[in-house]
């Protein structure tokens, strides 16, 4: 936290602070999806599966490419989402690059990108019943890609040794192990930073610390995405409930979450699965002969 200093400011300190910022990744050339074909496709959907995520637990689900899926709640509840290429766990959701290309919180029309060396859209957000929220006066917004996930290691550190097994990291690990048959330790190595679905977060303006506040989500709300590739998803119903007070607790009121998977009558017009990233992976060295 940059809330104290031991160094003497230079004479031009105010001038240096007054230099305007520059966006790191200008995205004018980033291919953005044309949402009209998605809108047309989502007008005729057939429910093909529903997965229930119990409170303080996680569940896995599979979504074929060209299908839609909706995450919803039974009450005020946030969730931590991991996404994988269903046939290759090494291609997984890359929250950091998704954040760099879209901003700290994602919404309608944003795409969730996969890890290197693939770096391609995995899913496109096609509907969000919380898009009315925007950014509040504290700088908070929903669906963040800045938080990592609550985990038992940080909990152990901050509690001086307590063992808590229903943090989202552990929930995701158990569920991924069950879905893939991988040993627990191997499954854990694939669990990654999440999309915090419905979570309302931001940064404190005085300290820069990550904050959370009561999620505005309620029964009837949902976040809808279109699977650009075959997906394996794992969703944890956070033990913090709506995260108004804590994100690891046996006392917080928690609710089930649902993942509904829909098949459209027709894929979006002109749609095809995005190819993997075109970088040649030579990293500046001559190609091997």
């Amino acid at each position: 936290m940059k809330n104290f200093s031991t160094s003497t400011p230079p004479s031009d300190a105010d001038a240096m602070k007054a230099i305007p910022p520059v966006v790191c990744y200008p995205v004018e050339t980033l291919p953005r999806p044309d949402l009209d074909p998605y809108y047309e496709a989502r007008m005729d959907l057939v429910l093909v599966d529903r997965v229930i995520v119990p409170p303080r637990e996680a569940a896995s689900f599979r979504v074929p490419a060209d299908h839609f899926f909706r995450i919803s709640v039974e009450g005020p509840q946030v969730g931590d989402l991991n996404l994988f290429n269903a046939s290759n766990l090494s291609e997984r959701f890359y929250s950091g690059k998704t954040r760099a290309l879209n901003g700290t919180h994602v919404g309608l029309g944003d795409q969730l990108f996969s890890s290197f060396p693939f770096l391609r859209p995995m899913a496109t957000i096609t509907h969000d019943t919380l898009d009315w929220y925007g950014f509040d006066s504290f700088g908070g917004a929903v669906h963040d890609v800045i938080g990592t996930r609550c985990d038992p290691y940080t909990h152990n550190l901050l509690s001086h040794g307590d063992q808590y097994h229903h943090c989202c990291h552990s929930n995701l690990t158990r569920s991924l192990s069950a879905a893939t048959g991988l040993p627990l330790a191997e499954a854990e190595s694939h669990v990654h930073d999440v999309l915090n679905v419905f979570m309302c977060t931001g940064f404190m303006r005085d300290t820069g610390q990550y904050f959370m506040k009561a999620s505005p989500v309620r029964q009837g709300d949902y976040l809808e995405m279109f699977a650009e590739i075959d997906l394996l998803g794992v969703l944890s119903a956070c033990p913090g409930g709506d995260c108004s007070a804590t994100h690891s607790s046996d006392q917080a009121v928690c609710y089930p979450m649902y993942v509904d998977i829909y098949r459209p009558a027709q894929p979006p017009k002109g749609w095809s699965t995005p190819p993997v990233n075109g970088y040649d992976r030579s990293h500046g060295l001559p190609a091997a002969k």
Side-chain angles (χ1 to χ4, degrees):
M1 295 181 289
K2 294 180 177 291
N3 55 357
F4 66 92
S5 173
T6 60
S7 59
T8 302
S11 59
D12 62 347
D14 290 341
M16 295 298 293
K17 291 181 179 182
I19 296 173
V22 176
V23 173
C24 292
Y25 286 90
V27 292
E28 288 77 15
T29 60
L30 178 69
R32 293 287 187 182
D34 177 5
L35 289 180
D36 286 343
Y38 293 90
Y39 291 154
E40 185 175 350
R42 69 184 295 273
M43 291 299 102
D44 189 3
L45 299 176
V46 175
L47 178 66
V48 296
D49 195 14
R50 163 168 271 204
V51 174
I52 301 173
V53 185
R56 293 188 176 83
E57 294 289 349
S60 66
F61 58 94
R62 293 180 183 270
V63 188
D66 85 4
H67 283 49
F68 293 82
F69 63 103
R70 293 176 182 172
I71 299 173
S72 61
V73 296
E74 195 170 289
Q77 177 67 47
V78 307
D80 285 37
L81 178 66
N82 268 190
L83 291 177
F84 302 88
N85 180 327
S87 60
N88 180 7
L89 291 183
S90 65
E91 183 175 11
R92 64 193 69 164
F93 172 53
Y94 188 176
S95 68
K97 193 58 66 177
T98 298
R99 178 175 65 249
L101 295 174
N102 292 300
T104 57
H105 300 75
V106 293
L108 183 63
D110 287 334
Q111 296 186 300
L112 309 185
F113 286 86
S114 63
S115 53
F116 296 157
F118 310 96
L119 196 64
R120 58 174 169 170
M122 304 180 78
T124 299
I125 297 176
T126 50
H127 196 74
D128 176 17
T129 63
L130 293 177
D131 60 7
W132 57 267
Y133 194 89
F135 284 88
D136 61 32
S137 61
F138 301 98
V142 296
H143 312 314
D144 85 68
V145 282
I146 50 180
T148 56
R149 61 201 174 276
C150 56
D151 69 89
Y153 302 100
T154 304
H155 179 85
N156 182 271
L157 178 68
L158 297 177
S159 65
H160 304 289
D162 187 39
Q163 304 293 315
Y164 186 72
H165 307 299
H166 286 270
C167 296
C168 287
H169 177 87
S170 295
N171 294 351
L172 294 168
T173 298
R174 290 193 305 272
S175 186
L176 183 62
S177 175
T180 61
L182 293 173
L184 202 63
E186 188 174 344
E188 183 179 19
S189 69
H190 293 286
V191 172
H192 51 277
D193 286 351
V194 298
L195 167 58
N196 281 306
V197 182
F198 306 132
M199 193 170 180
C200 189
T201 61
F203 292 108
M204 301 296 290
R205 293 193 173 113
D206 54 347
T207 63
Q209 289 172 285
Y210 180 54
F211 73 72
M212 62 187 186
K213 55 180 293 191
S215 173
V217 70
R218 65 196 76 184
Q219 191 171 23
D221 285 321
Y222 64 90
L223 180 67
E224 178 188 277
M225 289 181 259
F226 177 83
E228 300 285 352
I229 65 174
D230 291 336
L231 293 174
L232 168 62
V234 190
L235 178 66
S236 172
C238 184
D242 69 355
C243 286
S244 58
T246 181
H247 57 60
S248 293
S249 168
D250 287 328
Q251 286 73 48
V253 178
C254 294
Y255 294 89
M257 303 185 76
Y258 304 96
V259 182
D260 292 323
I261 299 163
Y262 294 89
R263 181 181 65 247
Q266 297 291 334
K269 185 176 181 180
W271 173 85
S272 61
T273 290
V276 299
N277 192 269
Y279 178 61
D280 64 14
R281 303 189 68 186
S282 67
H283 301 290
L285 296 178
K289 295 183 180 180

